[in-house]
Amino acid sequence: MTAITRTARGRRSLAALTCGALAAGGLAAAGVKALEPGAAQASSHREAPLISGQPQYDNTDVYAFVSPDRPDTTTLVANWLPFEEPAGGPNFYKFAPDAQYDIHIDNNGDGQGEFVYRWTFKDHTKNGNTFLYNTGAVKTVDDPDLNFTQTYDIDLLRLDNQRLVSDTKIARDLPVAPSNVGKASMPDYKSLRDQAVKRLSDGSTAFAGQADDPFFLDLRVFDLLYGGDLSEVGKDTLKGYSVQSVALQIPTAKIRQSASQPTIGVWSTTQRKNAQGGWTQVSRLGNPLVNEVVVPMKDKDRFNASAPWNDGQFLPYVTKPELPKLIEAIYKIKAPKEPRNDLVSVYLTGVKGLNQPPGVRPAEELRLNTAIRPTASPKRLGVLDGDNAGFPNGRRLTDDVIDISLQAVEGELVGNKNDLGDAVNANDQQFGSSFPYLALPASGSQGPLAKKGSGSSSGNSTDSRMSGSTALTGSSGGAGGTNDTLLIASAAGAGGGVLLIGLGLAWWRMRRRSLLG
Protein backbone atom coordinates (compact mmCIF):
# COMPACT_ATOMS: atom_id res chain seq x y z
CA MET A 1 0.00 0.00 0.00
CA THR A 2 0.33 3.30 0.68
CA ALA A 3 3.16 3.11 3.04
CA ILE A 4 2.95 5.90 5.55
CA THR A 5 6.03 6.98 7.44
CA ARG A 6 5.00 7.73 10.96
CA THR A 7 8.01 9.85 11.77
CA ALA A 8 8.46 13.47 10.87
CA ARG A 9 7.04 14.97 7.61
CA GLY A 10 6.83 12.80 5.68
CA ARG A 11 -20.95 16.28 -25.28
CA ARG A 12 -19.37 15.25 -27.22
CA SER A 13 -15.74 15.79 -26.82
CA LEU A 14 -16.05 16.13 -23.11
CA ALA A 15 -18.71 13.53 -22.95
CA ALA A 16 -16.52 11.22 -24.89
CA LEU A 17 -13.74 11.45 -22.43
CA THR A 18 -16.16 10.81 -19.71
CA CYS A 19 -17.44 7.67 -21.25
CA GLY A 20 -14.06 6.15 -21.66
CA ALA A 21 -13.46 5.51 -18.04
CA LEU A 22 -16.87 4.18 -17.54
CA ALA A 23 -16.81 1.99 -20.52
CA ALA A 24 -14.02 -0.11 -19.30
CA GLY A 25 -15.77 -0.63 -16.07
CA GLY A 26 -19.24 -0.84 -17.41
CA LEU A 27 -18.89 -3.81 -19.60
CA ALA A 28 -17.06 -5.62 -16.96
CA ALA A 29 -19.92 -5.02 -14.71
CA ALA A 30 -22.31 -6.53 -17.10
CA GLY A 31 -20.73 -9.85 -16.62
CA VAL A 32 -21.95 -11.40 -13.40
CA LYS A 33 -25.13 -13.33 -12.76
CA ALA A 34 -28.59 -12.28 -13.65
CA LEU A 35 -30.73 -13.03 -10.62
CA GLU A 36 -31.27 -11.51 -7.23
CA PRO A 37 -29.39 -12.89 -4.28
CA GLY A 38 -26.79 -15.21 -5.86
CA ALA A 39 -23.07 -14.65 -6.42
CA ALA A 40 -21.87 -12.00 -8.84
CA GLN A 41 -19.16 -9.48 -9.63
CA ALA A 42 -20.06 -5.86 -10.07
CA SER A 43 -18.23 -2.58 -9.82
CA SER A 44 -15.59 -4.16 -7.65
CA HIS A 45 -17.58 -6.93 -6.13
CA ARG A 46 -15.20 -9.90 -5.98
CA GLU A 47 -13.09 -8.47 -8.77
CA ALA A 48 -9.77 -10.13 -7.98
CA PRO A 49 -8.83 -13.69 -6.97
CA LEU A 50 -7.57 -12.99 -3.45
CA ILE A 51 -10.17 -10.45 -2.35
CA SER A 52 -13.04 -12.56 -3.66
CA GLY A 53 -12.53 -14.84 -0.66
CA GLN A 54 -12.44 -11.97 1.86
CA PRO A 55 -15.73 -10.09 1.47
CA GLN A 56 -15.38 -8.07 4.69
CA TYR A 57 -12.30 -6.45 3.19
CA ASP A 58 -13.63 -6.16 -0.37
CA ASN A 59 -14.38 -2.55 -1.28
CA THR A 60 -17.22 -2.61 -3.81
CA ASP A 61 -17.76 1.06 -4.77
CA VAL A 62 -16.67 4.60 -3.97
CA TYR A 63 -18.78 7.72 -4.42
CA ALA A 64 -17.76 11.38 -4.09
CA PHE A 65 -20.10 14.29 -4.80
CA VAL A 66 -20.96 17.79 -3.71
CA SER A 67 -23.82 17.36 -1.23
CA PRO A 68 -27.05 18.32 -3.04
CA ASP A 69 -28.69 19.86 0.04
CA ARG A 70 -25.49 21.30 1.56
CA PRO A 71 -23.36 22.49 -1.37
CA ASP A 72 -20.63 23.79 0.93
CA THR A 73 -19.88 20.18 1.87
CA THR A 74 -18.60 17.09 0.06
CA THR A 75 -20.01 13.64 0.72
CA LEU A 76 -17.83 10.54 0.50
CA VAL A 77 -19.31 7.03 0.52
CA ALA A 78 -17.44 3.73 0.39
CA ASN A 79 -18.98 0.26 0.51
CA TRP A 80 -17.70 -3.18 1.50
CA LEU A 81 -18.95 -6.76 1.80
CA PRO A 82 -20.88 -7.42 -1.42
CA PHE A 83 -23.99 -9.55 -1.84
CA GLU A 84 -25.41 -9.43 1.65
CA GLU A 85 -28.49 -11.65 1.59
CA PRO A 86 -31.02 -9.81 3.83
CA ALA A 87 -32.11 -12.95 5.69
CA GLY A 88 -28.58 -14.24 6.10
CA GLY A 89 -28.62 -14.91 9.86
CA PRO A 90 -27.97 -15.90 12.53
CA ASN A 91 -24.61 -14.24 11.96
CA PHE A 92 -25.57 -11.09 10.15
CA TYR A 93 -23.17 -8.58 8.65
CA LYS A 94 -20.43 -6.47 10.17
CA PHE A 95 -17.20 -4.68 9.46
CA ALA A 96 -14.00 -6.58 10.20
CA PRO A 97 -12.45 -5.55 13.54
CA ASP A 98 -8.97 -6.42 12.25
CA ALA A 99 -9.16 -4.00 9.31
CA GLN A 100 -8.46 -0.37 8.59
CA TYR A 101 -11.00 1.06 6.16
CA ASP A 102 -9.52 4.15 4.52
CA ILE A 103 -10.71 6.90 2.18
CA HIS A 104 -7.83 8.88 0.66
CA ILE A 105 -8.00 12.42 -0.67
CA ASP A 106 -5.40 13.86 -3.05
CA ASN A 107 -5.96 17.61 -3.23
CA ASN A 108 -2.99 18.69 -5.37
CA GLY A 109 -2.94 16.14 -8.19
CA ASP A 110 0.34 14.50 -7.23
CA GLY A 111 -1.18 11.03 -7.00
CA GLN A 112 -0.65 10.87 -3.23
CA GLY A 113 -3.16 11.37 -0.46
CA GLU A 114 -2.87 14.51 1.64
CA PHE A 115 -5.71 13.26 3.86
CA VAL A 116 -6.67 9.77 4.97
CA TYR A 117 -9.96 9.20 6.83
CA ARG A 118 -9.61 5.88 8.66
CA TRP A 119 -12.46 3.81 10.12
CA THR A 120 -11.75 1.07 12.70
CA PHE A 121 -14.43 -1.10 14.30
CA LYS A 122 -15.00 -3.00 17.55
CA ASP A 123 -17.38 -5.90 18.25
CA HIS A 124 -19.65 -6.03 21.31
CA THR A 125 -21.75 -9.05 22.40
CA LYS A 126 -24.11 -8.73 25.35
CA ASN A 127 -25.05 -12.37 25.79
CA GLY A 128 -22.90 -15.13 24.37
CA ASN A 129 -25.28 -17.83 25.58
CA THR A 130 -27.85 -17.30 22.85
CA PHE A 131 -27.64 -17.83 19.12
CA LEU A 132 -29.70 -14.71 18.47
CA TYR A 133 -28.41 -11.51 16.88
CA ASN A 134 -31.20 -9.75 18.79
CA THR A 135 -33.24 -11.15 21.68
CA GLY A 136 -36.36 -9.02 21.12
CA ALA A 137 -37.74 -6.17 19.07
CA VAL A 138 -35.03 -3.53 18.67
CA LYS A 139 -36.02 0.13 18.79
CA THR A 140 -32.76 1.95 19.47
CA VAL A 141 -29.14 1.41 18.49
CA ASP A 142 -28.33 0.88 22.19
CA ASP A 143 -31.37 -1.31 22.83
CA PRO A 144 -30.67 -4.07 25.41
CA ASP A 145 -32.25 -6.54 22.99
CA LEU A 146 -29.68 -5.82 20.30
CA ASN A 147 -27.31 -8.59 21.30
CA PHE A 148 -24.52 -7.90 18.84
CA THR A 149 -23.34 -4.37 18.08
CA GLN A 150 -20.35 -2.60 16.61
CA THR A 151 -18.85 0.79 17.34
CA TYR A 152 -16.23 2.68 15.40
CA ASP A 153 -13.61 5.40 15.54
CA ILE A 154 -12.54 7.74 12.74
CA ASP A 155 -8.98 9.05 12.56
CA LEU A 156 -7.91 11.86 10.26
CA LEU A 157 -4.33 11.42 9.07
CA ARG A 158 -2.62 14.36 7.38
CA LEU A 159 0.25 13.40 5.10
CA ASP A 160 3.02 15.07 3.19
CA ASN A 161 4.72 12.87 0.58
CA GLN A 162 3.42 9.82 2.47
CA ARG A 163 4.99 10.96 5.71
CA LEU A 164 2.63 11.41 8.64
CA VAL A 165 2.14 15.00 9.71
CA SER A 166 -0.65 14.48 12.25
CA ASP A 167 -3.17 11.87 13.41
CA THR A 168 -6.37 13.24 14.94
CA LYS A 169 -9.25 11.17 16.26
CA ILE A 170 -12.39 12.95 15.05
CA ALA A 171 -14.90 10.30 16.22
CA ARG A 172 -14.86 7.73 18.99
CA ASP A 173 -17.20 4.82 19.79
CA LEU A 174 -19.97 5.83 17.39
CA PRO A 175 -22.71 3.22 16.87
CA VAL A 176 -22.96 1.19 13.66
CA ALA A 177 -26.47 0.79 12.24
CA PRO A 178 -27.30 -2.93 12.61
CA SER A 179 -28.28 -5.33 9.87
CA ASN A 180 -31.96 -5.13 8.95
CA VAL A 181 -32.91 -8.50 10.40
CA GLY A 182 -36.63 -8.19 9.66
CA LYS A 183 -39.87 -6.54 10.64
CA ALA A 184 -40.41 -8.65 13.73
CA SER A 185 -37.00 -7.76 15.08
CA MET A 186 -36.72 -4.19 13.83
CA PRO A 187 -40.21 -2.80 13.24
CA ASP A 188 -38.93 0.70 12.44
CA TYR A 189 -35.57 0.20 10.80
CA LYS A 190 -35.43 3.76 9.45
CA SER A 191 -35.51 5.06 13.01
CA LEU A 192 -32.55 2.84 13.86
CA ARG A 193 -30.64 4.00 10.81
CA ASP A 194 -31.32 7.64 11.61
CA GLN A 195 -29.89 7.18 15.10
CA ALA A 196 -26.59 6.11 13.56
CA VAL A 197 -26.13 9.48 11.80
CA LYS A 198 -23.82 11.54 14.00
CA ARG A 199 -22.55 15.12 13.83
CA LEU A 200 -18.85 15.43 14.70
CA SER A 201 -17.08 18.22 16.51
CA ASP A 202 -15.05 19.16 13.42
CA GLY A 203 -18.21 20.00 11.47
CA SER A 204 -18.46 16.69 9.63
CA THR A 205 -21.34 14.21 9.74
CA ALA A 206 -20.74 10.46 9.87
CA PHE A 207 -22.64 7.25 9.23
CA ALA A 208 -21.65 3.58 9.21
CA GLY A 209 -23.87 0.56 8.79
CA GLN A 210 -25.83 -1.58 6.41
CA ALA A 211 -27.36 -0.03 3.28
CA ASP A 212 -28.96 -1.12 0.05
CA ASP A 213 -26.24 -1.70 -2.55
CA PRO A 214 -26.55 1.50 -4.63
CA PHE A 215 -24.86 0.02 -7.68
CA PHE A 216 -27.37 -0.92 -10.38
CA LEU A 217 -26.71 -2.88 -13.54
CA ASP A 218 -27.24 -6.11 -15.41
CA LEU A 219 -24.23 -8.19 -14.52
CA ARG A 220 -24.60 -11.04 -16.93
CA VAL A 221 -21.89 -9.44 -19.05
CA PHE A 222 -19.30 -11.87 -17.75
CA ASP A 223 -21.25 -14.72 -19.31
CA LEU A 224 -19.40 -13.93 -22.55
CA LEU A 225 -21.32 -10.68 -22.94
CA TYR A 226 -24.82 -12.06 -22.45
CA GLY A 227 -24.06 -15.16 -24.46
CA GLY A 228 -24.20 -13.14 -27.65
CA ASP A 229 -27.90 -12.47 -27.09
CA LEU A 230 -28.54 -8.89 -26.03
CA SER A 231 -32.25 -9.48 -25.62
CA GLU A 232 -31.39 -10.88 -22.19
CA VAL A 233 -30.28 -7.60 -20.65
CA GLY A 234 -32.42 -5.52 -18.30
CA LYS A 235 -32.11 -7.31 -14.97
CA ASP A 236 -30.77 -5.34 -12.00
CA THR A 237 -28.54 -8.07 -10.72
CA LEU A 238 -27.83 -6.35 -7.41
CA LYS A 239 -31.48 -5.81 -6.55
CA GLY A 240 -32.20 -7.00 -3.04
CA TYR A 241 -28.60 -7.15 -1.84
CA SER A 242 -27.05 -4.94 0.81
CA VAL A 243 -23.54 -3.78 1.63
CA GLN A 244 -21.68 -2.29 4.60
CA SER A 245 -21.29 1.45 4.07
CA VAL A 246 -19.30 4.26 5.60
CA ALA A 247 -20.27 7.82 4.72
CA LEU A 248 -18.78 11.13 5.71
CA GLN A 249 -19.98 14.63 4.87
CA ILE A 250 -17.10 17.09 5.19
CA PRO A 251 -16.97 20.89 4.86
CA THR A 252 -15.34 21.18 1.45
CA ALA A 253 -13.01 23.96 2.53
CA LYS A 254 -11.30 21.48 4.84
CA ILE A 255 -10.22 19.08 2.11
CA ARG A 256 -9.68 21.00 -1.12
CA GLN A 257 -6.35 22.73 -1.74
CA SER A 258 -7.91 26.15 -2.40
CA ALA A 259 -10.81 27.88 -4.11
CA SER A 260 -8.67 28.21 -7.23
CA GLN A 261 -7.69 24.49 -7.18
CA PRO A 262 -10.91 22.79 -6.08
CA THR A 263 -10.40 19.34 -7.64
CA ILE A 264 -9.80 16.43 -5.32
CA GLY A 265 -8.91 12.82 -6.15
CA VAL A 266 -10.57 10.11 -4.05
CA TRP A 267 -9.95 6.40 -3.59
CA SER A 268 -10.43 3.85 -0.86
CA THR A 269 -8.31 1.01 0.46
CA THR A 270 -8.62 -1.77 2.99
CA GLN A 271 -5.71 -2.85 5.12
CA ARG A 272 -5.82 -6.13 6.99
CA LYS A 273 -3.69 -7.07 9.96
CA ASN A 274 -1.13 -9.65 8.85
CA ALA A 275 0.58 -12.50 10.67
CA GLN A 276 3.43 -10.25 11.74
CA GLY A 277 1.05 -7.77 13.37
CA GLY A 278 1.54 -5.18 10.65
CA TRP A 279 -0.90 -4.02 8.00
CA THR A 280 -1.24 -5.22 4.40
CA GLN A 281 -3.35 -3.47 1.76
CA VAL A 282 -5.74 -6.02 0.25
CA SER A 283 -8.27 -3.86 -1.63
CA ARG A 284 -8.27 -0.61 -3.57
CA LEU A 285 -10.94 1.27 -5.53
CA GLY A 286 -11.29 4.65 -7.20
CA ASN A 287 -13.19 4.71 -10.50
CA PRO A 288 -15.78 1.96 -10.89
CA LEU A 289 -14.94 -1.27 -12.72
CA VAL A 290 -11.29 -0.58 -13.46
CA ASN A 291 -9.97 -3.72 -11.82
CA GLU A 292 -12.82 -5.76 -13.31
CA VAL A 293 -12.55 -5.04 -16.99
CA VAL A 294 -9.35 -3.12 -17.55
CA VAL A 295 -6.79 -5.04 -15.48
CA PRO A 296 -6.16 -8.65 -16.61
CA MET A 297 -6.33 -11.64 -14.32
CA LYS A 298 -2.58 -11.87 -13.77
CA ASP A 299 -2.40 -8.35 -12.29
CA LYS A 300 -5.68 -7.99 -10.40
CA ASP A 301 -4.22 -8.83 -7.00
CA ARG A 302 -1.22 -6.60 -7.71
CA PHE A 303 -3.52 -3.70 -8.56
CA ASN A 304 -5.33 -4.13 -5.24
CA ALA A 305 -2.00 -3.94 -3.40
CA SER A 306 -0.68 -0.96 -5.37
CA ALA A 307 -0.84 2.81 -4.92
CA PRO A 308 -2.16 5.38 -7.42
CA TRP A 309 1.17 7.16 -7.88
CA ASN A 310 2.58 3.97 -9.41
CA ASP A 311 -0.24 3.50 -11.91
CA GLY A 312 2.03 4.07 -14.89
CA GLN A 313 2.66 0.31 -14.71
CA PHE A 314 -0.96 -0.34 -15.75
CA LEU A 315 -1.07 2.19 -18.60
CA PRO A 316 -1.00 -0.39 -21.46
CA TYR A 317 -4.22 -1.92 -20.16
CA VAL A 318 -5.92 1.44 -20.64
CA THR A 319 -4.50 2.33 -24.03
CA LYS A 320 -5.00 -1.20 -25.42
CA PRO A 321 -8.14 -2.44 -23.62
CA GLU A 322 -9.34 -6.01 -24.02
CA LEU A 323 -13.07 -5.33 -23.84
CA PRO A 324 -13.67 -3.72 -27.27
CA LYS A 325 -11.88 -6.64 -28.90
CA LEU A 326 -14.16 -9.07 -27.10
CA ILE A 327 -17.24 -7.16 -28.25
CA GLU A 328 -15.94 -7.17 -31.81
CA ALA A 329 -15.40 -10.94 -31.67
CA ILE A 330 -18.91 -11.65 -30.38
CA TYR A 331 -21.04 -8.90 -31.91
CA LYS A 332 -18.92 -7.83 -34.89
CA ILE A 333 -18.91 -4.21 -33.71
CA LYS A 334 -15.57 -2.87 -34.82
CA ALA A 335 -13.25 -1.88 -31.98
CA PRO A 336 -11.90 1.71 -32.05
CA LYS A 337 -8.31 2.23 -33.10
CA GLU A 338 -5.54 2.06 -30.55
CA PRO A 339 -3.91 3.52 -28.58
CA ARG A 340 -7.03 4.57 -26.67
CA ASN A 341 -5.77 7.90 -25.43
CA ASP A 342 -9.40 8.92 -25.04
CA LEU A 343 -9.60 6.62 -22.05
CA VAL A 344 -6.47 7.93 -20.35
CA SER A 345 -7.98 11.25 -19.30
CA VAL A 346 -10.87 9.66 -17.54
CA TYR A 347 -8.94 6.94 -15.79
CA LEU A 348 -5.72 8.61 -14.91
CA THR A 349 -5.64 12.38 -15.22
CA GLY A 350 -9.15 13.79 -15.12
CA VAL A 351 -10.73 15.65 -18.02
CA LYS A 352 -9.06 18.89 -18.99
CA GLY A 353 -11.34 21.83 -18.30
CA LEU A 354 -13.55 19.75 -16.03
CA ASN A 355 -11.66 18.01 -13.25
CA GLN A 356 -8.00 17.80 -14.20
CA PRO A 357 -5.73 19.44 -11.60
CA PRO A 358 -2.80 21.53 -12.89
CA GLY A 359 0.42 19.53 -13.14
CA VAL A 360 -1.50 16.31 -12.57
CA ARG A 361 0.40 13.05 -12.15
CA PRO A 362 -1.45 10.21 -13.90
CA ALA A 363 -3.09 8.09 -11.22
CA GLU A 364 -6.32 6.10 -11.03
CA GLU A 365 -8.48 8.26 -8.76
CA LEU A 366 -12.13 9.33 -8.73
CA ARG A 367 -11.67 13.04 -9.46
CA LEU A 368 -14.20 15.62 -8.29
CA ASN A 369 -14.24 19.32 -9.05
CA THR A 370 -15.88 20.57 -5.86
CA ALA A 371 -16.54 24.00 -7.40
CA ILE A 372 -19.24 22.60 -9.70
CA ARG A 373 -22.50 23.02 -7.86
CA PRO A 374 -25.01 20.19 -7.69
CA THR A 375 -28.00 20.29 -9.98
CA ALA A 376 -31.61 19.99 -8.92
CA SER A 377 -32.24 17.57 -11.78
CA PRO A 378 -29.34 15.12 -12.04
CA LYS A 379 -29.03 13.22 -15.31
CA ARG A 380 -28.11 9.58 -15.12
CA LEU A 381 -25.52 9.88 -17.90
CA GLY A 382 -23.76 12.72 -16.11
CA VAL A 383 -21.26 14.70 -18.16
CA LEU A 384 -22.19 12.71 -21.26
CA ASP A 385 -25.62 14.33 -21.12
CA GLY A 386 -24.37 17.79 -20.22
CA ASP A 387 -24.62 17.38 -16.44
CA ASN A 388 -21.12 18.24 -15.26
CA ALA A 389 -22.00 17.54 -11.63
CA GLY A 390 -22.07 13.81 -12.38
CA PHE A 391 -19.70 11.06 -13.35
CA PRO A 392 -16.89 11.18 -14.27
CA ASN A 393 -16.77 14.38 -12.28
CA GLY A 394 -16.93 12.42 -9.05
CA ARG A 395 -19.67 9.86 -8.83
CA ARG A 396 -23.21 10.30 -7.50
CA LEU A 397 -25.38 7.44 -6.31
CA THR A 398 -27.72 7.90 -9.28
CA ASP A 399 -25.07 8.00 -12.01
CA ASP A 400 -25.51 5.19 -14.56
CA VAL A 401 -21.88 4.27 -14.95
CA ILE A 402 -22.65 1.13 -16.93
CA ASP A 403 -24.38 2.83 -19.84
CA ILE A 404 -21.70 5.50 -19.99
CA SER A 405 -19.07 2.80 -20.02
CA LEU A 406 -20.71 0.76 -22.73
CA GLN A 407 -20.94 3.77 -24.98
CA ALA A 408 -17.39 4.85 -24.29
CA VAL A 409 -15.77 1.50 -24.81
CA GLU A 410 -17.23 1.43 -28.30
CA GLY A 411 -15.70 4.78 -29.11
CA GLU A 412 -18.23 7.42 -28.17
CA LEU A 413 -15.29 9.64 -27.30
CA VAL A 414 -13.61 9.20 -30.64
CA GLY A 415 -16.62 9.77 -32.83
CA ASN A 416 -18.25 6.32 -32.85
CA LYS A 417 -21.64 7.45 -31.63
CA ASN A 418 -23.85 4.83 -30.07
CA ASP A 419 -26.60 4.46 -27.51
CA LEU A 420 -25.54 1.26 -25.86
CA GLY A 421 -26.89 0.44 -22.43
CA ASP A 422 -27.94 -2.44 -20.23
CA ALA A 423 -31.58 -1.32 -19.81
CA VAL A 424 -31.10 -0.85 -16.05
CA ASN A 425 -31.31 2.91 -15.65
CA ALA A 426 -31.88 3.41 -11.93
CA ASN A 427 -31.54 1.74 -8.57
CA ASP A 428 -34.45 -0.40 -7.43
CA GLN A 429 -34.64 1.56 -4.14
CA GLN A 430 -34.97 5.33 -3.90
CA PHE A 431 -32.06 7.26 -2.49
CA GLY A 432 -32.51 9.75 0.35
CA SER A 433 -32.58 13.52 -0.05
CA SER A 434 -30.26 14.14 2.91
CA PHE A 435 -27.18 12.55 4.40
CA PRO A 436 -26.27 9.69 4.16
CA TYR A 437 -28.46 9.57 0.99
CA LEU A 438 -28.12 5.76 0.85
CA ALA A 439 -31.29 3.70 0.49
CA LEU A 440 -32.34 1.55 3.43
CA PRO A 441 -31.19 -2.07 3.26
CA ALA A 442 -33.71 -4.74 2.33
CA SER A 443 -35.51 -6.31 5.25
CA GLY A 444 -34.76 -9.89 6.19
CA SER A 445 -38.50 -10.54 6.35
CA GLN A 446 -41.08 -9.52 3.82
CA GLY A 447 -44.08 -11.70 4.64
CA PRO A 448 -47.38 -10.65 6.19
CA LEU A 449 -46.85 -12.69 9.36
CA ALA A 450 -43.71 -10.76 10.20
CA LYS A 451 -45.70 -7.56 9.80
CA LYS A 452 -48.28 -8.67 12.33
CA GLY A 453 -45.65 -9.56 14.88
CA SER A 454 -43.61 -6.47 14.40
CA GLY A 455 -42.53 -5.22 17.74
CA SER A 456 -45.69 -5.49 19.78
CA SER A 457 -45.20 -6.63 23.36
CA SER A 458 -48.71 -7.83 24.02
CA GLY A 459 -51.50 -10.05 22.70
CA ASN A 460 -50.46 -12.52 20.01
CA SER A 461 -47.26 -10.74 19.25
CA THR A 462 -44.04 -12.53 18.55
CA ASP A 463 -42.65 -11.22 21.83
CA SER A 464 -45.29 -12.84 24.00
CA ARG A 465 -45.11 -16.13 22.12
CA MET A 466 -41.40 -16.45 22.60
CA SER A 467 -40.99 -15.13 26.12
CA GLY A 468 -42.49 -18.10 27.98
CA SER A 469 -40.27 -20.90 26.77
CA THR A 470 -36.96 -19.23 26.21
CA ALA A 471 -36.83 -16.36 28.66
CA LEU A 472 -36.01 -14.21 25.67
CA THR A 473 -37.98 -11.12 24.92
CA GLY A 474 -38.71 -11.70 21.28
CA SER A 475 -37.85 -13.27 17.97
CA SER A 476 -39.35 -13.79 14.60
CA GLY A 477 -41.05 -17.01 13.93
CA GLY A 478 -43.39 -19.34 12.21
CA ALA A 479 -43.08 -21.74 9.35
CA GLY A 480 -46.18 -20.14 7.92
CA GLY A 481 -44.38 -16.86 7.60
CA THR A 482 -41.50 -18.51 5.82
CA ASN A 483 -43.80 -20.15 3.33
CA ASP A 484 -45.65 -16.93 2.67
CA THR A 485 -42.41 -15.14 2.01
CA LEU A 486 -41.37 -17.86 -0.40
CA LEU A 487 -44.59 -17.61 -2.35
CA ILE A 488 -44.37 -13.87 -2.55
CA ALA A 489 -40.78 -14.06 -3.69
CA SER A 490 -41.74 -16.51 -6.43
CA ALA A 491 -44.52 -14.26 -7.64
CA ALA A 492 -42.20 -11.29 -7.62
CA GLY A 493 -39.66 -13.27 -9.61
CA ALA A 494 -42.21 -14.04 -12.29
CA GLY A 495 -43.15 -10.37 -12.54
CA GLY A 496 -39.48 -9.45 -12.76
CA GLY A 497 -39.05 -11.84 -15.66
CA VAL A 498 -41.76 -10.09 -17.65
CA LEU A 499 -40.16 -6.75 -16.92
CA LEU A 500 -36.77 -8.10 -17.92
CA ILE A 501 -38.01 -9.25 -21.29
CA GLY A 502 -39.61 -5.86 -21.91
CA LEU A 503 -36.50 -3.94 -21.00
CA GLY A 504 -34.30 -6.30 -22.97
CA LEU A 505 -36.33 -5.83 -26.12
CA ALA A 506 -36.26 -2.07 -25.66
CA TRP A 507 -32.51 -2.13 -25.29
CA TRP A 508 -32.12 -4.36 -28.34
CA ARG A 509 -34.26 -2.07 -30.50
CA MET A 510 -32.21 0.90 -29.34
CA ARG A 511 -29.00 -0.84 -30.27
CA ARG A 512 -30.29 -1.85 -33.68
CA ARG A 513 -31.27 1.72 -34.44
CA SER A 514 -27.79 2.76 -33.44
CA LEU A 515 -26.13 0.24 -35.71
CA LEU A 516 -28.40 0.86 -38.66
CA GLY A 517 -28.63 4.54 -38.31
Side-chain angles (χ1 to χ4, degrees), residues 177-200:
S179 296
N180 191 1
V181 173
K183 294 171 184 174
S185 295
M186 296 171 182
D188 187 354
Y189 186 82
K190 183 178 184 308
S191 172
L192 283 177
R193 206 279 283 277
D194 290 347
Q195 294 169 44
V197 174
K198 298 293 184 183
R199 296 295 298 269
L200 309 182

Side-chain angles (χ1 to χ4, degrees), residues 62-66 74-77 266 366 368 393-396:
V62 174
Y63 301 82
F65 51 90
V66 178
T74 296
T75 294
L76 307 176
V77 177
V266 178
L366 183 61
L368 170 66
N393 182 35
R395 182 184 179 188
R396 300 170 299 197

